[in-house]
Amino acid sequence: MIEKRTIKELIARVGRGKVFADREYLLAYSYDATGLEFLPDAVVFAEREEDVAAVIAVCRRHGVPLVPRGAGVGYSGGALAVNGGIVLVFTRMNRILRLERENLLAVVEPGVITSDLQEAAAKAGLFYPPDPASLKTSTIGGNLAENAGGPRCLKYGVTGNYVLALEAFLMSGEKVRFGSETIKNVAGYDLRSLLVGSEGTLAVITRATLRLLPLPPRRRLFRVDFATLEAGARFVQRVIQGNVQPSVLEFMDRSSLQAVCDYQGRTLDPRLGAAVLVEIDGGAAEVAERETRLEEEVAAARPLGRERAETPAEQEELWEVRRAVSPAIARLKPKKINEDIVVPCGRIPEMVGFIESLAREFSLCIVLFGHFGDGNIHTNLMVDPNDAGEMKRAEIVLDRIFRRVIEIGGTLSGEHGIGLSKRPFMGYQFSPAELELFRRLKKVFDPDNLLNPGKIF
Amino acid sequence: MIEKRTIKELIARVGRGKVFADREYLLAYSYDATGLEFLPDAVVFAEREEDVAAVIAVCRRHGVPLVPRGAGVGYSGGALAVNGGIVLVFTRMNRILRLERENLLAVVEPGVITSDLQEAAAKAGLFYPPDPASLKTSTIGGNLAENAGGPRCLKYGVTGNYVLALEAFLMSGEKVRFGSETIKNVAGYDLRSLLVGSEGTLAVITRATLRLLPLPPRRRLFRVDFATLEAGARFVQRVIQGNVQPSVLEFMDRSSLQAVCDYQGRTLDPRLGAAVLVEIDGGAAEVAERETRLEEEVAAARPLGRERAETPAEQEELWEVRRAVSPAIARLKPKKINEDIVVPCGRIPEMVGFIESLAREFSLCIVLFGHFGDGNIHTNLMVDPNDAGEMKRAEIVLDRIFRRVIEIGGTLSGEHGIGLSKRPFMGYQFSPAELELFRRLKKVFDPDNLLNPGKIF
């Protein structure tokens, strides 16, 4: 608990309309997409970088934890005040400060909503590729903290690949800037990359310079249906290794498709085992050429069927199914244990088969979908917290999945981050020496462990 | 000076054929492409990771500096033993351990020569894009240390974009591994990116897992000649911002072209002010489509002329001119002050004009060439160290160039690294707080400042 005078000091420094300690505010900022809840002591809405500096000064003086927060839609608990303290919300710092076609970049505040940036860029004929499923609500600041990915990251890379420069405050109160307005930059240690994906534990980002691309003139979306999970996974693998170079290669298993059909009140084709979405983008001839190569792969894979979406409206219809998976499966069981493991792209069919056999062996409902194109398999264990036996079985299965992922050269998380939820498994991926190095780096940036404590390690 | 017994201890631990303290060895490993010379106390050729561990143990015990070295072709002094000590040469650790088409990756030792990896990849239908001009001699370890770029990095990104995982030894003797065999990975702090470009000052890399791409089926190379430097620079800028998306966009000014002609015994067209190389790659239809777009840009730019190279032999002929620039201009004057500044892509014509006017104002020979497509302008001040006046003028001009680069959002170095040569200018790009953060991070990895001391900051 922080003292009343600390709240008063905050109000004095940043202004009354930005500081709240009422219970309804504390509750509203106590949870994120994990479903976990931790009540903060106060919520502050930053409106400018001076507010951030002031909150840091107050936290440092009184030894109060500080938790930066964007839209609070993260899946790993990164925005939760596990030790109480102040939640610093960035949704009011949401200006696109510059958007320059000649330099192919945008300068934004951390509270800009991802899709707002994409739309502003598109109006200028430009393209900001990172597209987490939450893009209509998530903020750039949250995307930076978790190094968010998304379907198009297969071809275009993750958030970090678009960060040219970052401005941030250290817990010492000093403002730092890393990076430049150029694509290449090897001056000094790459602290820009260190801050990206550091889950708000090293510094508080207040401004980002992001790289934009020319907008691809054309896009086509295809849906290819398969009778079995394995056939779909093999198709994905062949498309990656060939010369199709899709911009999207998304996968949905039968449970995902069934859940979406139930959600949308439709009937599912009983033969259907999996569906793959493939997007191709580029110039007209380029798209036509890649489509020919894709059709060869489709023919060789002998699918149940395939759809081709040419207009934006047709494409949106196919996308709707994919975007509905997450909310639709949430209705299958009271709780979704939501993992985003990644395996090397040649190991996808093997990993999918392994998870399937575990689901059978332990009588668990496991829903698989996601960005199979880059090996990122969203693995959802659907459970009932009141069923102790099922919870125990889920725990065993999760443990086996993580162990296997690491054995075959994969990683615990592709885009959600570690936060609270995957923290217990860090020892599978990192040695004590590596974890100790993380802790020592954290100490350089935040010697008093005030910035988003209790996360990652 | 290290003591005789330290040399004996090294020999005892790694074997006689790997340790040398004879003067001819020390001389041979005292310099790099900067022309600076610093004599080490001993040279050790690592053949396996146990050798690296043993050398680190000896250095730590006796407080001896350790300088990792690849081919020694760096432009910033990264491989120089400025405080003496042991130069640890990696050229014998040159095995490609795995090259997997199904997982699109290679696992290599640091001594593998860049072009050897490219050729091995191409044989498997794969592509390792980073292509520093020194690729036929430079090692992957050196490329990692400096985060090397090259012409194709315009489309494909720099060395760091292809690093999936690194194994390295800390100066504590502990072995660490960061990254995975997957493209996406957000588990823990991104120490893989921190090590890349850290110029051998944080850890000694002993193994790298590198991402490979499917080999683009087709390539075309074009050379477009212009009457003036500015016309060439404007053409470059329009091509970047349009939808050509070239894989290469290289620039040569009149002095570069003149030097190459002299070198090759040919006569230069007196009207020629600059030449631009443009490469397009991809599928057949894609290349044809992009070529059409390029031809529109070429027509609009009203060049002096243009050449089109279709066969690999024709392309190699055009490349030869570009690759000859560096050795050819070295003959213009006794000393080449070789910088690799980067400016935002919209500021290229402005920066080129600024440098040109400085050259006139200070009567200096400045040769400009390089990867203009990503704003990376190789700026070569050609001087005679015996001409004190010229050296003083070069110093003033260099200072003005660096100040302007930082003012307009650029960076001191795009691919060569800071090392010794750009260290005096770090204060232009970084604040005291930022430099202090670098020093504190260095201390976490290397508390006794034994690993490649005296570099960067």
Side-chain angles (χ1 to χ4, degrees), chain B residues 221 264 307 309 312-322:
Chain B
L221 190 62
Q264 297 178 333
E307 273 182 86
E314 287 167 358
Q315 294 182 21
E316 194 48 36
E317 213 173 296
L318 290 189
W319 272 121
E320 260 170 32
V321 173
R322 166 64 183 86

Side-chain angles (χ1 to χ4, degrees), chain A residues 101-102 185 241 284 289 411, chain B residues 101-102 185 241 284 289 411:
Chain A
R101 190 168 164 93
E102 66 278 20
N185 177 7
Q241 289 165 8
E289 181 174 42
T411 177
Chain B
R101 190 170 162 91
E102 66 279 20
N185 178 6
Q241 288 165 8
E289 181 175 41
T411 176

Side-chain angles (χ1 to χ4, degrees), chain A residues 84-99:
Chain A
I86 295 167
V87 166
L88 182 59
V89 184
F90 278 93
T91 48
R92 293 187 191 171
M93 272 180 78
N94 61 354
R95 289 177 302 165
I96 298 174
L97 301 164
R98 289 161 53 196
L99 200 150

Side-chain angles (χ1 to χ4, degrees), chain B residues 65-77:
Chain B
L66 173 60
V67 181
R69 181 182 176 103
V73 292
Y75 276 123
S76 56

